[in-house]
């Protein structure tokens, strides 16, 4: 997986919440044979099964504290989509925007992924709405998508988002930050947060009026 999320902080807590954020799945040998994907381009969405490679632990805990419940109420790990599971296997439904081979190999262009850059992908399957989607399903406390905050930019941050590339980045940051990535149990209104997003270091604060982006700095050339 090649994703703009270079660290776990800031990644949406579920797939499908950030339609404008693209990512790529690199198909590695010996599976990078285009005939193995023939027909997949006709599906608008695909399932990705993957390993939470940065959530591997020697032991496992039977209960977790979902951020959606404020980070202090426990539920069984199998009643959650937590990365910290006996087998750290994830499942994400993402948009499929293209399949292409270039000099670096065979790639699936996707959108809406909630995966960390470098995540190993185990399997890819086409999404079948009539089989995989259940209109009247019950989902307890997780039945609704997360609330979204308003996102605004300081003059300094807005000044760095010029041109088409800047507008694209602005739209992506609004989608990602509106989901309020702050850890549920210490959502501080005064604290400044820093988040890596693609080639940018983004600084922001969140209060009752929403998120205020105070800095967007390119990291290229600074490494
Ligand atoms: N949609 C998947 C599922 O339901 O299995 C993932 C849901 S999980 C709550 C999403 C979170 O997993 C992200 O917000 C991020 O913090 C974390 N995550 C994503 N990729 C990861 C990786 N490779 N290793 C560890 N944690 C990861």
């Amino acid at each position: 997986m090649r994703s703009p999320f270079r660290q776990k902080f800031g990644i949406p807590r579920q797939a499908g919440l950030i339609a404008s954020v693209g990512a790529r799945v690199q198909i590695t040998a010996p599976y990078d044979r285009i005939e193995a994907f023939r027909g997949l381009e006709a599906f608008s969405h695909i399932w990705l099964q993957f390993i939470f490679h940065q959530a591997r632990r020697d032991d496992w805990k039977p209960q977790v504290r979902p951020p959606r419940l404020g980070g202090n109420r426990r539920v069984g790990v199998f009643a959650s989509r937590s990365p910290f599971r006996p087998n750290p296997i994830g499942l994400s439904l993402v948009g499929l925007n293209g399949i292409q081979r270039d000099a670096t190999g065979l790639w699936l262009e996707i959108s809406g992924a909630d995966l960390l850059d470098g995540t190993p992908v185990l399997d890819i399957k086409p999404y079948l709405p009539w089989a995989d989607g259940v209109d009247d399903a019950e989902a307890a406390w997780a039945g609704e998508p997360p609330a979204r905050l308003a996102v605004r930019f300081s003059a300094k941050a807005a000044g760095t988002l010029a041109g088409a590339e800047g507008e694209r980045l602005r739209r992506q940051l609004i989608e990602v930050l509106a989901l309020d990535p702050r850890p549920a149990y210490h959502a501080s209104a005064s604290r400044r947060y820093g988040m890596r997003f693609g080639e940018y270091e983004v600084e922001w604060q969140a209060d009752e009026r929403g998120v205020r982006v105070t800095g967007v700095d390119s990291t290229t050339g600074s490494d």
Side-chain angles (χ1 to χ4, degrees):
M1 168 61 65
R2 290 273 75 88
S3 124
F5 297 110
R6 306 289 158 79
Q7 60 187 151
K8 284 195 279 189
F9 181 62
I11 304 180
R13 292 187 175 108
Q14 198 42 258
L17 295 169
I18 47 168
S20 75
V21 177
R24 310 179 84 198
V25 180
Q26 181 174 24
I27 310 299
T28 51
Y31 311 107
D32 58 338
R33 295 176 49 178
I34 189 68
E35 67 268 33
F37 295 86
R38 180 166 304 131
L40 185 67
E41 71 284 350
F43 291 84
S44 63
H45 291 77
I46 56 175
W47 288 110
L48 297 181
Q49 281 179 304
F50 59 91
I51 294 175
F52 288 110
H53 75 301
Q54 286 202 8
R56 306 185 78 143
R57 286 189 173 148
D58 295 340
D59 64 342
W60 72 286
K61 290 194 171 51
Q63 297 206 318
V64 294
R65 294 182 298 173
R68 292 290 294 273
L69 295 177
N72 43 32
R73 226 180 88 197
R74 290 179 187 283
V75 298
V77 64
F78 295 115
S80 81
R81 301 287 283 259
S82 168
F84 298 97
R85 330 178 63 76
N87 289 308
I89 295 171
L91 177 68
S92 289
L93 180 59
V94 299
L96 176 63
N97 305 323
I99 303 172
Q100 59 187 10
R101 180 181 293 286
D102 65 20
T104 59
L106 184 61
W107 297 85
L108 302 190
E109 305 294 339
I110 62 172
S111 52
D114 53 342
L115 279 74
L116 182 62
D117 188 48
T119 297
V121 174
L122 296 173
D123 195 9
I124 296 157
K125 296 175 191 278
Y127 172 69
L128 307 177
W130 55 271
D132 297 336
V134 180
D135 291 342
D136 57 350
E138 297 290 328
W141 74 85
E144 296 298 325
R148 283 179 165 83
L149 298 177
V151 178
R152 59 197 192 283
F153 293 77
S154 69
K156 171 178 168 272
T160 58
L161 296 172
E165 168 67 19
E167 178 47 32
R168 200 166 68 89
L169 177 60
R170 201 178 74 86
R171 225 181 25 253
Q172 293 178 341
L173 290 178
I174 288 173
E175 276 202 325
V176 171
L177 294 173
L179 296 168
D180 192 0
R182 289 177 297 171
Y185 34 85
H186 53 74
S188 152
S190 57
R191 190 170 150 196
R192 277 182 190 273
Y193 293 92
M195 176 185 97
R196 182 76 188 268
F197 183 77
E199 302 310 319
Y200 296 88
E201 196 60 47
V202 183
E203 188 188 81
W204 51 278
Q205 287 175 290
D207 57 24
E208 65 290 343
R209 288 181 304 152
V211 173
R212 182 167 180 268
V213 180
T214 50
V216 180
D217 297 308
S218 170
T219 58
T220 46
S222 62
D223 293 340

